[in-house]
Amino acid sequence: MRIDLHTHTTASDGTDTPGDLVRAAAAAGLDVVAITDHDSTAGWDAAFAARPAGLTVVPGVEFSCVHQAADGRRTSLHLLGYFADPDNVAIQDEWARLRASRRTRGKAMVDSLVADGYPITWEQVSLLAASGSVGRPHIGRALVDAGVVPDVSTAFTELLSSRQKYYVRKADADVFDAIRLVREAGGLPVFAHPIARRRGPVVSDEVIAAMAAAGMVGIEVDHPDHDPADRAHAAGLARELGLLGTGSSDYHGTNKPTELGACLTDPEVYERLLALPAALKPVGE
Ligand code: AMP
Ligand code: ZN
Ligand code: FE
Ligand code: FE
């Protein structure tokens, strides 16, 4: 069984439509793929409808969150929520708020790049994002199309990362509120890439323990942004805290070099995830 529990479509900042993504997942030899767009369930139905025989689709969302320390320090982090009820009003309202902030913030970043002479426009970025959740990869794509950088990864290192002057913060949900919202919607929260240091600061093991105590059920262990030492550490934490340790590619189509199935979830871990009570079931045979 080949199981990839974290991917993005054109409903957020991936480049495959949901239909293309499930077909690509089957072609890549996956048995199970989760659709986890940023702050949106908009890709689910098209993915279910296009699902090739033999592939199981797991409905998920990657929730934009922030941890605020007692000293005021803010760390942005991503929480995956699987099998949440898409009709839950409280969580949909929060995701709608986050998507609106993504647009305002995307426009602010574009304005700041334009003010320094970069030849892109908000119309272009908006078109690239279409009706999906706007993200920095869309701005990166516009910069590639304008010939400013060779690829989206370079756009991040030179202009878009949280360490660069063009970075603007978006609204995020407090991570403990997000865990509660996911649980109250019948979903299963899993911490995405908990120690992806090259993206920016990460939270301490104590914060991860507090998230577990608040109802989180797992953490990503195998992820392209975790080096071998990070994976060993995450696996140890999962054991210690009684969390599921998952593996995922975080595939974004051509917006990132990572292939579908680049990291996988152990079938036994997947079975334990499915055994937990949740509002939805995976869509498959
Ligand atoms: P945003 O949601 O707008 O803050 O943008 C974050 C998204 O950009 C994440 O989902 C990442 O997948 C993607 N991202 C972050 N760092 C990089 C990078 N160095 N190269 C390509 N994509 C990245
Ligand atoms: Zn993304
Ligand atoms: Fe993420
Ligand atoms: Fe992601």
Side-chain angles (χ1 to χ4, degrees):
M1 286 267 279
R2 288 169 54 79
I3 303 159
D4 187 340
L5 289 182
H6 180 168
T7 71
H8 296 266
T9 76
T10 49
S12 64
D13 53 8
T15 55
D16 291 4
T17 65
D20 288 343
L21 185 123
V22 290
R23 285 184 288 272
L30 294 179
D31 300 287
V32 180
V33 70
I35 307 281
T36 54
D37 282 303
H38 297 286
D39 309 313
S40 174
T41 57
W44 290 10
D45 288 344
F48 299 154
R51 181 186 67 82
L55 180 75
T56 295
V57 178
V58 168
V61 168
E62 187 171 17
F63 204 148
S64 303
C65 300
V66 60
H67 175 261
Q68 308 218 47
D71 65 3
R73 204 161 49 89
R74 296 167 56 94
T75 308
S76 92
L77 46 86
H78 292 170
L79 188 76
L80 296 160
Y82 297 109
F83 306 122
D85 175 4
D87 297 325
N88 180 283
V89 173
I91 206 164
Q92 285 292 2
D93 282 356
E94 181 60 5
W95 287 334
R97 182 182 80 91
L98 299 178
R99 291 195 302 273
S101 162
R102 284 176 165 280
R103 294 202 89 79
T104 324
R105 173 275 205 141
K107 187 160 187 321
M109 287 186 67
V110 170
D111 285 348
S112 152
L113 285 155
V114 168
D116 273 2
Y118 289 98
I120 60 170
T121 63
W122 170 244
E123 285 63 39
Q124 186 189 1
V125 172
S126 189
L127 211 62
L128 285 166
S131 57
S133 297
V134 183
R136 283 177 286 162
H138 297 117
I139 305 174
R141 178 60 54 193
L143 289 161
V144 173
D145 293 348
V148 174
V149 285
D151 50 46
V152 175
S153 300
T154 310
F156 267 86
T157 47
E158 293 185 357
L159 298 162
L160 304 177
S161 86
S162 57
R163 299 173 178 97
Q164 306 290 335
K165 74 176 265 205
Y166 300 107
Y167 180 76
V168 175
R169 223 154 65 180
K170 60 180 168 25
D172 292 312
D174 176 86
V175 68
F176 294 104
D177 290 341
I179 291 170
R180 182 180 49 77
L181 280 167
V182 171
R183 290 302 298 250
E184 286 177 3
L188 302 174
V190 171
F191 191 175
H193 44 78
I195 26 194
R197 276 190 215 87
R198 56 188 169 114
R199 295 177 182 218
V202 299
V203 295
S204 66
D205 292 356
E206 288 68 34
V207 171
I208 298 177
M211 289 165 67
M216 183 172 75
V217 306
I219 58 175
E220 282 185 336
V221 169
D222 289 320
H223 183 283
D225 290 356
H226 286 172
D227 67 24
D230 297 331
R231 293 180 198 206
H233 184 75
L237 260 182
R239 255 194 314 277
E240 199 181 298
L241 298 171
L243 295 168
L244 300 173
T246 65
S248 324
S249 65
D250 204 352
Y251 174 76
H252 279 71
T254 58
N255 276 344
K256 263 191 185 177
T258 309
E259 301 294 337
L260 274 167
C263 295
L264 296 169
T265 294
D266 187 318
E268 199 185 304
V269 169
Y270 177 62
E271 289 308 319
R272 283 166 59 205
L273 182 73
L274 292 189
L276 296 170
L280 300 179
K281 297 239 165 297
V283 177
E285 274 80 68

